[in-house]
């Protein structure tokens, strides 16, 4: 679902940089990413690919900690297949 975040294998230098620069990593599920894709469509009128919507999915999981703060989220890419778009919209309709 988020091919832009996937790599075939981890490389030592990027991993070392991320460990040094990031305080925290968060894993989000495919369902959470699909939900974020549907929110971008519904509320921002923006088509985001899975990798682009992953940050919104993570921010939503942290919503209680972020409440009342100004938060910037990077949304990039529109490389979403019709099948992925259908899944996001079906999920939106089932969750409500």
């Amino acid at each position: 679902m988020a091919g832009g975040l996937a790599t075939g294998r981890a490389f030592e230098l990027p991993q070392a940089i991320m460990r040094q620069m990031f305080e925290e990593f968060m894993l989000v599920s495919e369902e959470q990413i699909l939900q974020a894709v549907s929110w971008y469509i519904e509320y921002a009128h923006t088509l985001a690919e899975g990798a682009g919507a992953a940050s919104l999915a993570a921010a939503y999981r942290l919503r209680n900690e972020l409440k009342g703060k100004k938060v910037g989220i990077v949304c990039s890419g529109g490389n979403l297949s019709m099948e992925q778009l259908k899944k996001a919209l079906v999920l939106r309709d089932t969750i409500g």
Side-chain angles (χ1 to χ4, degrees):
M1 181 63 215
L5 299 176
T7 61
R9 66 176 221 223
F11 291 93
E12 189 174 325
L13 180 59
Q15 289 287 318
I17 293 169
M18 288 188 293
R19 285 189 188 101
Q20 180 181 5
M21 302 301 293
F22 295 162
E23 289 182 26
E24 184 178 350
F25 287 86
M26 179 176 287
L27 297 176
V28 292
S29 69
E30 183 171 303
E31 185 174 297
Q32 290 167 326
I33 292 171
L34 286 168
Q35 182 64 57
V37 167
S38 73
W39 287 332
Y40 271 124
I41 293 168
E42 186 171 357
Y43 299 110
H45 308 285
T46 302
L47 181 62
E49 64 184 50
S55 57
L56 178 58
Y60 183 75
R61 283 192 36 203
L62 294 171
R63 66 190 176 279
N64 293 331
E65 295 171 47
L66 300 175
K67 189 173 183 174
K69 298 179 180 178
K70 291 184 180 183
V71 178
I73 299 173
V74 175
C75 172
S76 62
N79 187 21
L80 194 68
S81 72
M82 288 301 290
E83 189 59 36
Q84 291 169 328
L85 179 58
K86 287 177 190 175
K87 283 182 182 179
L89 295 176
V90 166
L91 178 66
R92 179 189 62 117
D93 290 341
T94 58
I95 291 177

